[in-house]
Amino acid sequence: LMVDMLNYGAAAQLRFNNRMDDLAVNQLTAAQFAYGTDAVPNVSAELKEVSNTGATVKFLKKTLSLQSSIELQFLISLGGYSLEELEARITVNGTTVKISPESYLGSYGMIIYDGIAAKDIRTPVQVTVYNKTTGKVVSNTVQGSMEALAATMLPDETDIIYAMLRYGDAAKKVYG
């Protein structure tokens, strides 16, 4: 797990041209480095959108941000609502979290969520937008996983995506 985490850190450093002279894996011996996963991870998850009756809020872009943490990001149209009227409900492992969309370019909303543990990279996630006041569903439901969002970034981000998936798979083995 530790070597895969360090490999992911090094891949992030390379991707973002950060501290290239001191990569996360530089201090590993060859014996330690050998504990890391070298197989190409399988990337097979799908991202889909399930229709909900009366949905006016639209998902315009679905992606991962690979900055200081891995974030799910969903750009949405407001569908005639104000940001204050909307909340996203994100369900992972049977737990639902409510997130208020942030303003994006004045007329859009951005749902940002970074609460998924490394071991859950391949775990199904559902995202639906609701009217806070009425509790009514106002968007379709996005179903997928971090893996599915990562798949949309291939082949452009192959090194960092594969390193992220190796780390996630190792975390799943250790933490279940």
Side-chain angles (χ1 to χ4, degrees):
L1 171 66
M2 187 60 68
V3 174
D4 287 327
M5 182 179 73
L6 291 171
N7 281 328
Y8 173 54
Q13 286 177 273
L14 292 170
R15 166 63 178 83
F16 297 109
N17 197 26
N18 184 7
R19 298 180 61 197
M20 302 292 285
D21 59 330
D22 190 24
L23 294 177
V25 294
N26 281 358
Q27 300 300 317
L28 293 178
T29 66
Q32 291 168 326
F33 194 76
Y35 283 109
T37 306
D38 60 0
V40 174
N42 181 29
V43 184
S44 61
E46 292 183 42
L47 190 63
K48 63 182 178 178
E49 203 168 316
V50 178
S51 295
N52 289 320
T53 304
T56 58
V57 172
K58 306 292 182 203
F59 286 94
L60 304 174
K61 186 171 183 177
K62 308 163 198 91
T63 191
L64 291 178
S65 171
L66 302 172
Q67 299 296 318
S68 60
S69 65
I70 302 170
E71 298 175 337
L72 303 175
Q73 294 187 344
F74 301 93
L75 177 65
I76 58 171
S77 69
L78 300 181
Y81 293 94
S82 69
L83 276 175
E84 294 74 28
E85 295 175 286
L86 300 176
E87 72 180 9
R89 296 183 190 171
I90 301 173
T91 304
V92 183
N93 286 325
T95 300
T96 300
V97 176
K98 296 177 182 178
I99 304 280
S100 294
E102 299 176 12
S103 179
Y104 186 79
L105 299 177
S107 57
Y108 300 96
M110 181 69 78
I111 300 163
I112 300 172
Y113 182 64
D114 67 354
I116 298 176
K119 70 179 185 66
D120 294 323
I121 282 177
R122 297 181 190 266
T123 300
V125 176
Q126 286 196 154
V127 181
T128 309
V129 180
Y130 288 78
N131 178 314
K132 281 186 198 177
T133 307
T134 66
K136 178 183 171 194
V137 172
V138 295
S139 75
N140 291 336
T141 298
V142 173
Q143 296 178 337
S145 62
M146 288 176 70
E147 172 193 11
L149 287 167
T152 68
M153 300 169 75
L154 295 172
D156 298 334
E157 302 286 351
T158 301
D159 292 341
I160 193 167
I161 295 302
Y162 283 0
M164 178 189 76
L165 291 171
R166 286 182 190 112
Y167 168 49
D169 290 346
K172 182 74 173 178
K173 286 178 187 174
V174 172
Y175 297 111

PDB file of all heavy atoms in Angstrom, residues 66-97:
ATOM      1  N   LEU A  66      -7.578  16.476 -10.059  1.00  0.00           N
ATOM      2  CA  LEU A  66      -6.455  15.749  -9.481  1.00  0.00           C
ATOM      3  C   LEU A  66      -5.436  16.717  -8.910  1.00  0.00           C
ATOM      4  O   LEU A  66      -4.259  16.661  -9.202  1.00  0.00           O
ATOM      5  CB  LEU A  66      -5.808  14.863 -10.545  1.00  0.00           C
ATOM      6  CG  LEU A  66      -6.727  13.850 -11.202  1.00  0.00           C
ATOM      7  CD1 LEU A  66      -6.032  13.171 -12.375  1.00  0.00           C
ATOM      8  CD2 LEU A  66      -7.189  12.822 -10.195  1.00  0.00           C
ATOM      9  N   GLN A  67      -5.878  17.636  -8.094  1.00  0.00           N
ATOM     10  CA  GLN A  67      -4.981  18.625  -7.493  1.00  0.00           C
ATOM     11  C   GLN A  67      -4.456  18.098  -6.158  1.00  0.00           C
ATOM     12  O   GLN A  67      -3.966  16.994  -6.115  1.00  0.00           O
ATOM     13  CB  GLN A  67      -5.713  19.958  -7.347  1.00  0.00           C
ATOM     14  CG  GLN A  67      -6.174  20.532  -8.684  1.00  0.00           C
ATOM     15  CD  GLN A  67      -5.032  20.883  -9.616  1.00  0.00           C
ATOM     16  OE1 GLN A  67      -4.024  21.432  -9.204  1.00  0.00           O
ATOM     17  NE2 GLN A  67      -5.168  20.554 -10.888  1.00  0.00           N
ATOM     18  N   SER A  68      -4.609  18.843  -5.077  1.00  0.00           N
ATOM     19  CA  SER A  68      -4.073  18.411  -3.786  1.00  0.00           C
ATOM     20  C   SER A  68      -4.862  17.243  -3.207  1.00  0.00           C
ATOM     21  O   SER A  68      -4.389  16.523  -2.346  1.00  0.00           O
ATOM     22  CB  SER A  68      -4.049  19.570  -2.798  1.00  0.00           C
ATOM     23  OG  SER A  68      -5.348  20.062  -2.602  1.00  0.00           O
ATOM     24  N   SER A  69      -6.105  17.075  -3.650  1.00  0.00           N
ATOM     25  CA  SER A  69      -6.901  15.896  -3.300  1.00  0.00           C
ATOM     26  C   SER A  69      -7.682  15.519  -4.547  1.00  0.00           C
ATOM     27  O   SER A  69      -7.763  16.300  -5.491  1.00  0.00           O
ATOM     28  CB  SER A  69      -7.854  16.200  -2.134  1.00  0.00           C
ATOM     29  OG  SER A  69      -8.809  17.165  -2.526  1.00  0.00           O
ATOM     30  N   ILE A  70      -8.239  14.329  -4.539  1.00  0.00           N
ATOM     31  CA  ILE A  70      -9.061  13.912  -5.679  1.00  0.00           C
ATOM     32  C   ILE A  70     -10.483  14.375  -5.398  1.00  0.00           C
ATOM     33  O   ILE A  70     -11.063  14.031  -4.379  1.00  0.00           O
ATOM     34  CB  ILE A  70      -9.029  12.395  -5.871  1.00  0.00           C
ATOM     35  CG1 ILE A  70      -7.600  11.911  -6.080  1.00  0.00           C
ATOM     36  CG2 ILE A  70      -9.900  12.001  -7.060  1.00  0.00           C
ATOM     37  CD1 ILE A  70      -7.458  10.409  -6.040  1.00  0.00           C
ATOM     38  N   GLU A  71     -11.019  15.174  -6.298  1.00  0.00           N
ATOM     39  CA  GLU A  71     -12.375  15.689  -6.134  1.00  0.00           C
ATOM     40  C   GLU A  71     -13.252  15.238  -7.288  1.00  0.00           C
ATOM     41  O   GLU A  71     -12.827  15.286  -8.445  1.00  0.00           O
ATOM     42  CB  GLU A  71     -12.388  17.220  -6.133  1.00  0.00           C
ATOM     43  CG  GLU A  71     -11.618  17.864  -5.029  1.00  0.00           C
ATOM     44  CD  GLU A  71     -11.569  19.374  -5.168  1.00  0.00           C
ATOM     45  OE1 GLU A  71     -11.742  19.912  -6.288  1.00  0.00           O
ATOM     46  OE2 GLU A  71     -11.347  20.013  -4.135  1.00  0.00           O
ATOM     47  N   LEU A  72     -14.472  14.825  -6.960  1.00  0.00           N
ATOM     48  CA  LEU A  72     -15.496  14.675  -7.976  1.00  0.00           C
ATOM     49  C   LEU A  72     -15.987  16.082  -8.278  1.00  0.00           C
ATOM     50  O   LEU A  72     -16.239  16.862  -7.350  1.00  0.00           O
ATOM     51  CB  LEU A  72     -16.670  13.846  -7.455  1.00  0.00           C
ATOM     52  CG  LEU A  72     -16.394  12.451  -6.926  1.00  0.00           C
ATOM     53  CD1 LEU A  72     -17.673  11.858  -6.358  1.00  0.00           C
ATOM     54  CD2 LEU A  72     -15.852  11.568  -8.026  1.00  0.00           C
ATOM     55  N   GLN A  73     -16.130  16.426  -9.553  1.00  0.00           N
ATOM     56  CA  GLN A  73     -16.634  17.752  -9.919  1.00  0.00           C
ATOM     57  C   GLN A  73     -17.710  17.604 -10.983  1.00  0.00           C
ATOM     58  O   GLN A  73     -17.512  16.902 -11.974  1.00  0.00           O
ATOM     59  CB  GLN A  73     -15.511  18.653 -10.434  1.00  0.00           C
ATOM     60  CG  GLN A  73     -14.495  18.999  -9.384  1.00  0.00           C
ATOM     61  CD  GLN A  73     -13.482  20.025  -9.862  1.00  0.00           C
ATOM     62  OE1 GLN A  73     -13.334  20.280 -11.055  1.00  0.00           O
ATOM     63  NE2 GLN A  73     -12.768  20.615  -8.926  1.00  0.00           N
ATOM     64  N   PHE A  74     -18.828  18.286 -10.726  1.00  0.00           N
ATOM     65  CA  PHE A  74     -19.956  18.251 -11.644  1.00  0.00           C
ATOM     66  C   PHE A  74     -20.392  19.679 -11.935  1.00  0.00           C
ATOM     67  O   PHE A  74     -20.831  20.394 -11.030  1.00  0.00           O
ATOM     68  CB  PHE A  74     -21.124  17.472 -11.041  1.00  0.00           C
ATOM     69  CG  PHE A  74     -20.771  16.055 -10.686  1.00  0.00           C
ATOM     70  CD1 PHE A  74     -20.335  15.733  -9.410  1.00  0.00           C
ATOM     71  CD2 PHE A  74     -20.855  15.044 -11.627  1.00  0.00           C
ATOM     72  CE1 PHE A  74     -19.987  14.438  -9.070  1.00  0.00           C
ATOM     73  CE2 PHE A  74     -20.512  13.739 -11.304  1.00  0.00           C
ATOM     74  CZ  PHE A  74     -20.077  13.429 -10.019  1.00  0.00           C
ATOM     75  N   LEU A  75     -20.280  20.092 -13.180  1.00  0.00           N
ATOM     76  CA  LEU A  75     -20.764  21.395 -13.607  1.00  0.00           C
ATOM     77  C   LEU A  75     -22.234  21.234 -13.954  1.00  0.00           C
ATOM     78  O   LEU A  75     -22.596  20.322 -14.713  1.00  0.00           O
ATOM     79  CB  LEU A  75     -19.978  21.883 -14.824  1.00  0.00           C
ATOM     80  CG  LEU A  75     -20.418  23.204 -15.433  1.00  0.00           C
ATOM     81  CD1 LEU A  75     -20.188  24.358 -14.447  1.00  0.00           C
ATOM     82  CD2 LEU A  75     -19.680  23.450 -16.742  1.00  0.00           C
ATOM     83  N   ILE A  76     -23.089  22.108 -13.395  1.00  0.00           N
ATOM     84  CA  ILE A  76     -24.531  21.995 -13.642  1.00  0.00           C
ATOM     85  C   ILE A  76     -25.096  23.316 -14.141  1.00  0.00           C
ATOM     86  O   ILE A  76     -24.613  24.397 -13.803  1.00  0.00           O
ATOM     87  CB  ILE A  76     -25.309  21.573 -12.371  1.00  0.00           C
ATOM     88  CG1 ILE A  76     -25.081  22.567 -11.218  1.00  0.00           C
ATOM     89  CG2 ILE A  76     -24.948  20.153 -11.963  1.00  0.00           C
ATOM     90  CD1 ILE A  76     -25.987  22.344 -10.012  1.00  0.00           C
ATOM     91  N   SER A  77     -26.154  23.204 -14.972  1.00  0.00           N
ATOM     92  CA  SER A  77     -26.969  24.369 -15.272  1.00  0.00           C
ATOM     93  C   SER A  77     -27.898  24.549 -14.084  1.00  0.00           C
ATOM     94  O   SER A  77     -28.143  23.601 -13.337  1.00  0.00           O
ATOM     95  CB  SER A  77     -27.786  24.135 -16.550  1.00  0.00           C
ATOM     96  OG  SER A  77     -28.780  23.149 -16.318  1.00  0.00           O
ATOM     97  N   LEU A  78     -28.413  25.733 -13.894  1.00  0.00           N
ATOM     98  CA  LEU A  78     -29.258  25.976 -12.730  1.00  0.00           C
ATOM     99  C   LEU A  78     -30.736  25.689 -12.988  1.00  0.00           C
ATOM    100  O   LEU A  78     -31.529  25.630 -12.044  1.00  0.00           O
ATOM    101  CB  LEU A  78     -29.063  27.409 -12.220  1.00  0.00           C
ATOM    102  CG  LEU A  78     -27.626  27.732 -11.791  1.00  0.00           C
ATOM    103  CD1 LEU A  78     -27.537  29.166 -11.285  1.00  0.00           C
ATOM    104  CD2 LEU A  78     -27.119  26.754 -10.748  1.00  0.00           C
ATOM    105  N   GLY A  79     -31.117  25.496 -14.233  1.00  0.00           N
ATOM    106  CA  GLY A  79     -32.479  25.078 -14.551  1.00  0.00           C
ATOM    107  C   GLY A  79     -33.566  25.991 -13.996  1.00  0.00           C
ATOM    108  O   GLY A  79     -34.628  25.526 -13.611  1.00  0.00           O
ATOM    109  N   GLY A  80     -33.292  27.305 -13.935  1.00  0.00           N
ATOM    110  CA  GLY A  80     -34.287  28.242 -13.437  1.00  0.00           C
ATOM    111  C   GLY A  80     -34.266  28.438 -11.927  1.00  0.00           C
ATOM    112  O   GLY A  80     -35.057  29.206 -11.389  1.00  0.00           O
ATOM    113  N   TYR A  81     -33.383  27.747 -11.241  1.00  0.00           N
ATOM    114  CA  TYR A  81     -33.267  27.880  -9.786  1.00  0.00           C
ATOM    115  C   TYR A  81     -32.098  28.792  -9.433  1.00  0.00           C
ATOM    116  O   TYR A  81     -31.170  28.955 -10.225  1.00  0.00           O
ATOM    117  CB  TYR A  81     -33.026  26.514  -9.134  1.00  0.00           C
ATOM    118  CG  TYR A  81     -34.183  25.570  -9.250  1.00  0.00           C
ATOM    119  CD1 TYR A  81     -34.249  24.645 -10.296  1.00  0.00           C
ATOM    120  CD2 TYR A  81     -35.211  25.588  -8.320  1.00  0.00           C
ATOM    121  CE1 TYR A  81     -35.318  23.766 -10.399  1.00  0.00           C
ATOM    122  CE2 TYR A  81     -36.287  24.716  -8.424  1.00  0.00           C
ATOM    123  CZ  TYR A  81     -36.326  23.812  -9.470  1.00  0.00           C
ATOM    124  OH  TYR A  81     -37.383  22.957  -9.582  1.00  0.00           O
ATOM    125  N   SER A  82     -32.094  29.318  -8.228  1.00  0.00           N
ATOM    126  CA  SER A  82     -30.916  30.009  -7.709  1.00  0.00           C
ATOM    127  C   SER A  82     -30.046  28.962  -7.008  1.00  0.00           C
ATOM    128  O   SER A  82     -30.548  27.903  -6.603  1.00  0.00           O
ATOM    129  CB  SER A  82     -31.319  31.104  -6.714  1.00  0.00           C
ATOM    130  OG  SER A  82     -31.838  30.514  -5.535  1.00  0.00           O
ATOM    131  N   LEU A  83     -28.780  29.255  -6.863  1.00  0.00           N
ATOM    132  CA  LEU A  83     -27.878  28.323  -6.171  1.00  0.00           C
ATOM    133  C   LEU A  83     -28.372  28.007  -4.761  1.00  0.00           C
ATOM    134  O   LEU A  83     -28.243  26.880  -4.295  1.00  0.00           O
ATOM    135  CB  LEU A  83     -26.469  28.900  -6.075  1.00  0.00           C
ATOM    136  CG  LEU A  83     -25.571  28.709  -7.273  1.00  0.00           C
ATOM    137  CD1 LEU A  83     -24.252  29.445  -7.062  1.00  0.00           C
ATOM    138  CD2 LEU A  83     -25.321  27.249  -7.546  1.00  0.00           C
ATOM    139  N   GLU A  84     -28.937  29.010  -4.107  1.00  0.00           N
ATOM    140  CA  GLU A  84     -29.397  28.845  -2.723  1.00  0.00           C
ATOM    141  C   GLU A  84     -30.531  27.826  -2.609  1.00  0.00           C
ATOM    142  O   GLU A  84     -30.779  27.283  -1.538  1.00  0.00           O
ATOM    143  CB  GLU A  84     -29.847  30.188  -2.142  1.00  0.00           C
ATOM    144  CG  GLU A  84     -28.723  31.194  -1.976  1.00  0.00           C
ATOM    145  CD  GLU A  84     -28.252  31.816  -3.298  1.00  0.00           C
ATOM    146  OE1 GLU A  84     -29.053  31.924  -4.254  1.00  0.00           O
ATOM    147  OE2 GLU A  84     -27.066  32.174  -3.382  1.00  0.00           O
ATOM    148  N   GLU A  85     -31.237  27.583  -3.701  1.00  0.00           N
ATOM    149  CA  GLU A  85     -32.359  26.646  -3.685  1.00  0.00           C
ATOM    150  C   GLU A  85     -31.936  25.200  -3.929  1.00  0.00           C
ATOM    151  O   GLU A  85     -32.746  24.287  -3.782  1.00  0.00           O
ATOM    152  CB  GLU A  85     -33.386  27.021  -4.764  1.00  0.00           C
ATOM    153  CG  GLU A  85     -34.068  28.346  -4.548  1.00  0.00           C
ATOM    154  CD  GLU A  85     -34.962  28.698  -5.720  1.00  0.00           C
ATOM    155  OE1 GLU A  85     -34.425  29.072  -6.787  1.00  0.00           O
ATOM    156  OE2 GLU A  85     -36.199  28.588  -5.563  1.00  0.00           O
ATOM    157  N   LEU A  86     -30.683  24.994  -4.316  1.00  0.00           N
ATOM    158  CA  LEU A  86     -30.242  23.666  -4.745  1.00  0.00           C
ATOM    159  C   LEU A  86     -29.293  23.014  -3.753  1.00  0.00           C
ATOM    160  O   LEU A  86     -28.498  23.676  -3.089  1.00  0.00           O
ATOM    161  CB  LEU A  86     -29.546  23.765  -6.102  1.00  0.00           C
ATOM    162  CG  LEU A  86     -30.370  24.321  -7.255  1.00  0.00           C
ATOM    163  CD1 LEU A  86     -29.512  24.457  -8.499  1.00  0.00           C
ATOM    164  CD2 LEU A  86     -31.593  23.449  -7.524  1.00  0.00           C
ATOM    165  N   GLU A  87     -29.391  21.682  -3.686  1.00  0.00           N
ATOM    166  CA  GLU A  87     -28.405  20.891  -2.960  1.00  0.00           C
ATOM    167  C   GLU A  87     -28.202  19.581  -3.712  1.00  0.00           C
ATOM    168  O   GLU A  87     -29.141  19.013  -4.272  1.00  0.00           O
ATOM    169  CB  GLU A  87     -28.832  20.606  -1.523  1.00  0.00           C
ATOM    170  CG  GLU A  87     -29.951  19.610  -1.371  1.00  0.00           C
ATOM    171  CD  GLU A  87     -30.330  19.369   0.087  1.00  0.00           C
ATOM    172  OE1 GLU A  87     -29.863  20.084   0.983  1.00  0.00           O
ATOM    173  OE2 GLU A  87     -31.136  18.451   0.314  1.00  0.00           O
ATOM    174  N   ALA A  88     -26.960  19.150  -3.741  1.00  0.00           N
ATOM    175  CA  ALA A  88     -26.638  17.858  -4.333  1.00  0.00           C
ATOM    176  C   ALA A  88     -26.596  16.833  -3.213  1.00  0.00           C
ATOM    177  O   ALA A  88     -26.122  17.121  -2.112  1.00  0.00           O
ATOM    178  CB  ALA A  88     -25.294  17.920  -5.042  1.00  0.00           C
ATOM    179  N   ARG A  89     -27.109  15.665  -3.500  1.00  0.00           N
ATOM    180  CA  ARG A  89     -27.006  14.558  -2.553  1.00  0.00           C
ATOM    181  C   ARG A  89     -26.135  13.494  -3.197  1.00  0.00           C
ATOM    182  O   ARG A  89     -26.453  12.966  -4.260  1.00  0.00           O
ATOM    183  CB  ARG A  89     -28.385  14.019  -2.193  1.00  0.00           C
ATOM    184  CG  ARG A  89     -29.228  15.074  -1.471  1.00  0.00           C
ATOM    185  CD  ARG A  89     -30.564  14.560  -1.035  1.00  0.00           C
ATOM    186  NE  ARG A  89     -31.405  15.662  -0.566  1.00  0.00           N
ATOM    187  CZ  ARG A  89     -32.686  15.536  -0.285  1.00  0.00           C
ATOM    188  NH1 ARG A  89     -33.278  14.353  -0.403  1.00  0.00           N
ATOM    189  NH2 ARG A  89     -33.377  16.585   0.122  1.00  0.00           N
ATOM    190  N   ILE A  90     -25.035  13.220  -2.521  1.00  0.00           N
ATOM    191  CA  ILE A  90     -24.048  12.267  -3.037  1.00  0.00           C
ATOM    192  C   ILE A  90     -24.059  11.051  -2.129  1.00  0.00           C
ATOM    193  O   ILE A  90     -23.871  11.174  -0.917  1.00  0.00           O
ATOM    194  CB  ILE A  90     -22.650  12.917  -3.079  1.00  0.00           C
ATOM    195  CG1 ILE A  90     -22.705  14.156  -3.981  1.00  0.00           C
ATOM    196  CG2 ILE A  90     -21.603  11.915  -3.541  1.00  0.00           C
ATOM    197  CD1 ILE A  90     -21.452  14.985  -3.973  1.00  0.00           C
ATOM    198  N   THR A  91     -24.306   9.886  -2.723  1.00  0.00           N
ATOM    199  CA  THR A  91     -24.404   8.645  -1.954  1.00  0.00           C
ATOM    200  C   THR A  91     -23.247   7.716  -2.313  1.00  0.00           C
ATOM    201  O   THR A  91     -23.031   7.409  -3.488  1.00  0.00           O
ATOM    202  CB  THR A  91     -25.760   7.946  -2.211  1.00  0.00           C
ATOM    203  OG1 THR A  91     -26.809   8.855  -1.901  1.00  0.00           O
ATOM    204  CG2 THR A  91     -25.901   6.693  -1.372  1.00  0.00           C
ATOM    205  N   VAL A  92     -22.519   7.303  -1.275  1.00  0.00           N
ATOM    206  CA  VAL A  92     -21.408   6.366  -1.409  1.00  0.00           C
ATOM    207  C   VAL A  92     -21.515   5.383  -0.242  1.00  0.00           C
ATOM    208  O   VAL A  92     -21.642   5.797   0.904  1.00  0.00           O
ATOM    209  CB  VAL A  92     -20.036   7.086  -1.332  1.00  0.00           C
ATOM    210  CG1 VAL A  92     -18.903   6.098  -1.535  1.00  0.00           C
ATOM    211  CG2 VAL A  92     -19.955   8.228  -2.321  1.00  0.00           C
ATOM    212  N   ASN A  93     -21.464   4.102  -0.539  1.00  0.00           N
ATOM    213  CA  ASN A  93     -21.519   3.071   0.515  1.00  0.00           C
ATOM    214  C   ASN A  93     -22.726   3.240   1.439  1.00  0.00           C
ATOM    215  O   ASN A  93     -22.629   3.056   2.647  1.00  0.00           O
ATOM    216  CB  ASN A  93     -20.234   3.070   1.350  1.00  0.00           C
ATOM    217  CG  ASN A  93     -19.058   2.479   0.613  1.00  0.00           C
ATOM    218  OD1 ASN A  93     -19.208   1.547  -0.165  1.00  0.00           O
ATOM    219  ND2 ASN A  93     -17.887   3.029   0.847  1.00  0.00           N
ATOM    220  N   GLY A  94     -23.862   3.616   0.894  1.00  0.00           N
ATOM    221  CA  GLY A  94     -25.084   3.751   1.680  1.00  0.00           C
ATOM    222  C   GLY A  94     -25.184   5.014   2.513  1.00  0.00           C
ATOM    223  O   GLY A  94     -26.183   5.235   3.186  1.00  0.00           O
ATOM    224  N   THR A  95     -24.172   5.872   2.456  1.00  0.00           N
ATOM    225  CA  THR A  95     -24.194   7.129   3.194  1.00  0.00           C
ATOM    226  C   THR A  95     -24.407   8.278   2.220  1.00  0.00           C
ATOM    227  O   THR A  95     -23.712   8.372   1.203  1.00  0.00           O
ATOM    228  CB  THR A  95     -22.869   7.347   3.957  1.00  0.00           C
ATOM    229  OG1 THR A  95     -22.688   6.263   4.869  1.00  0.00           O
ATOM    230  CG2 THR A  95     -22.869   8.661   4.712  1.00  0.00           C
ATOM    231  N   THR A  96     -25.373   9.137   2.542  1.00  0.00           N
ATOM    232  CA  THR A  96     -25.668  10.284   1.686  1.00  0.00           C
ATOM    233  C   THR A  96     -25.198  11.568   2.361  1.00  0.00           C
ATOM    234  O   THR A  96     -25.464  11.803   3.532  1.00  0.00           O
ATOM    235  CB  THR A  96     -27.181  10.368   1.389  1.00  0.00           C
ATOM    236  OG1 THR A  96     -27.577   9.165   0.735  1.00  0.00           O
ATOM    237  CG2 THR A  96     -27.507  11.559   0.504  1.00  0.00           C
ATOM    238  N   VAL A  97     -24.491  12.371   1.581  1.00  0.00           N
ATOM    239  CA  VAL A  97     -23.979  13.658   2.027  1.00  0.00           C
ATOM    240  C   VAL A  97     -24.648  14.739   1.183  1.00  0.00           C
ATOM    241  O   VAL A  97     -24.810  14.579  -0.024  1.00  0.00           O
ATOM    242  CB  VAL A  97     -22.442  13.724   1.850  1.00  0.00           C
ATOM    243  CG1 VAL A  97     -21.893  15.089   2.221  1.00  0.00           C
ATOM    244  CG2 VAL A  97     -21.771  12.634   2.641  1.00  0.00           C
TER     245      VAL A  97
END
